[in-house]
Amino acid sequence: MAGGLTLQDVSLRFGGVTVLQDVGFAVEPGQILGLVGPNGAGKTSLFNCISGHYRPTSGRVLIDGAEVQGARPATLAKHGLARTFQHPALQLRATVLENVLLGAHTRLPGGALEWAFRTPRTRRAERELRAEALALLERNGLGWAAHLPADELSHGLHKGVELCRALLMRPSLLLLDEPAAGLSHGEVEQLITTVRRLRTDDDITVVVVEHHMGLIAALTDRVVVLDHGAKLMEGTAAEAQSDPRVIEAYIGKDAAADDAA
Ligand SMILES: Nc1ncnc2c1ncn2[C@@H]1O[C@H](COP(=O)(O)OP(=O)(O)O)[C@@H](O)[C@H]1O
Ligand SMILES: [Mg+2]
């Protein structure tokens, strides 16, 4: 089974600013790992280091044992990696279906030249991708919206569209950055069911950044807590929630914000 992820001593610095300091953990294939921590802890930056949007200053990122730190997102897609973003950036004038298809050309056979000439093989593959994208939208309750411009959908539904886009890459490893932010209670319940199915039906390994502790507790096998760019602890969601260091990290953040106010 694919989708294993290992981080070893990942550090990230921008000039004099240390964003990540020697972060290490492993996710076994088929696991759901929660990545939590106060705002500014470095969670999104860590995702960026895994997904090729940032190159770690030092340390190693391995997917199924292959070193991938510094690789480009397109290369990482070939290793089975897909992600969603904290702030989905859809093409608002394009339809929902077109948005789901964005980026999926990497799954077409051949290369850029063949795609440009739209050979019969390319066109057949495009039709198959479209059908698959529609099926994904249906499965996620968005079939009705497939041909609407994306800007007619709510923020919560944009997150669903983005998830479909990531799933069309047929990932074995999926990174979700705050998928529940801005969702209604009912939408969060639906999301929990969806992510559970990704594991049981599709064998997808999931790393999820989320502040919604109900979702983290319901979904994850383990959590890693980040604070100030470093790993504070690793354990079950229940262990994290009762760990004095974790409580301190969150409260300290509030106190610091109060001081600044
Ligand atoms: N490109 C960048 N240049 C400088 N600082 C950055 C950059 N990206 C992230 N940071 C800094 O890294 C820290 C962690 O940010 P982020 O990873 O977004 O945290 P989180 O997702 O946990 O809220 C913040 O202080 C942020 O300003
Ligand atoms: Mg973030």
Side-chain angles (χ1 to χ4, degrees):
M1 202 171 152
L5 171 70
T6 305
L7 304 191
Q8 295 173 344
D9 297 322
V10 171
S11 296
L12 177 70
R13 279 181 287 278
F14 290 107
V17 181
T18 298
V19 174
L20 295 169
Q21 183 73 52
D22 299 325
V23 177
F25 59 82
V27 194
E28 299 295 321
Q31 274 198 336
I32 302 180
L33 181 98
L35 183 60
V36 303
N39 282 328
K43 305 178 297 294
T44 296
S45 299
L46 190 61
F47 269 13
N48 286 339
C49 287
I50 301 168
S51 67
H53 294 83
Y54 287 168
R55 175 189 282 271
T57 310
S58 59
R60 306 204 303 165
V61 178
L62 300 102
I63 297 180
D64 294 323
E67 276 194 41
V68 296
Q69 68 276 1
R72 289 181 313 154
T75 307
L76 287 153
K78 292 192 167 60
H79 284 274
L81 180 82
R83 71 172 288 184
T84 64
F85 291 87
Q86 187 172 346
H87 306 289
L90 300 187
Q91 303 284 321
L92 293 178
R93 297 223 183 104
T95 67
V96 164
L97 177 62
E98 285 162 347
N99 272 284
V100 173
L101 285 163
L102 276 180
H105 64 273
T106 55
R107 276 190 50 200
L108 294 174
L113 195 63
E114 185 175 335
W115 304 337
F117 282 101
R118 310 205 62 229
T119 62
R121 182 166 83 144
T122 306
R123 272 178 291 170
R124 193 175 343 107
E126 278 175 356
R127 275 198 303 276
E128 285 167 10
L129 268 180
R130 260 177 90 85
E132 202 177 317
L134 276 170
L136 273 172
L137 284 167
E138 292 285 350
R139 205 174 90 182
N140 287 282
L142 285 165
W144 59 273
H147 303 291
L148 294 179
D151 67 357
E152 290 188 19
L153 269 59
S154 69
H155 171 79
L157 296 181
H158 278 192
K159 295 224 146 186
V161 175
E162 229 215 340
L163 179 62
C164 290
R165 174 165 74 191
L167 292 176
L168 190 61
M169 307 299 284
R170 292 217 188 138
S172 47
L173 173 62
L174 179 63
L175 312 180
L176 301 174
D177 198 347
E178 301 203 18
L183 297 199
S184 68
H185 180 73
E187 286 171 329
V188 172
E189 290 301 313
Q190 184 56 49
L191 177 67
I192 290 172
T193 307
T194 301
V195 177
R196 280 211 184 104
R197 274 207 211 114
L198 297 181
R199 180 230 295 265
T200 52
D201 299 358
D202 304 318
D203 291 335
I204 298 175
T205 309
V206 178
V207 184
V208 55
V209 166
E210 203 26 88
H211 291 295
H212 192 296
M213 283 316 284
L215 178 142
I216 291 288
L219 277 180
T220 62
D221 302 295
R222 309 179 65 68
V223 301
V224 166
V225 184
L226 277 188
D227 185 35
H228 295 294
K231 185 167 102 172
L232 195 60
M233 65 87 69
E234 183 173 349
T236 64
E239 284 164 359
Q241 275 176 288
S242 59
D243 189 308
R245 292 168 299 175
V246 177
I247 296 164
E248 165 79 32
Y250 277 93
I251 294 172
K253 210 73 181 178
D254 288 347
D258 289 347
D259 288 348

